Amino acid sequence: DILLATESQIFQATRQLVDQAKILVEPSAAVPLACVVAHPDRFRNRSVAIVLSGGNIECGEDILAHT
């Protein structure tokens, strides 16, 4: 199956990673988390692993202001 996430959901997931996990990733790396959050019924009562990669983001970028 292919799951989709909106741009808004991706930016929210990026922000969630920064705020809760203290991990700074580029938005494309937050897509898997955005999909899990957007489709909770598909992942309920399952173990889920998400690989986070991609640190191609500058600390001064205003990417987190989108949320």
Side-chain angles (χ1 to χ4, degrees):
D1 293 342
I2 296 174
L3 300 177
L4 302 176
T6 66
E7 191 169 310
S8 176
Q9 291 168 327
I10 294 167
F11 285 120
Q12 288 174 349
T14 303
R15 185 59 185 228
Q16 183 178 357
L17 286 167
V18 171
D19 289 345
Q20 295 179 4
K22 308 299 186 229
I23 299 172
L24 181 62
V25 298
E26 62 189 75
S28 62
V31 171
L33 176 61
C35 288
V36 169
V37 171
H39 305 279
D41 292 338
R42 296 181 69 107
F43 300 99
R44 186 168 284 120
N45 298 322
R46 295 177 177 235
S47 296
V48 177
I50 296 175
V51 177
L52 298 174
S53 65
N56 190 18
I57 187 171
E58 298 286 328
C59 288
E61 287 186 45
D62 207 18
I63 198 77
L64 300 177
H66 287 75
T67 59

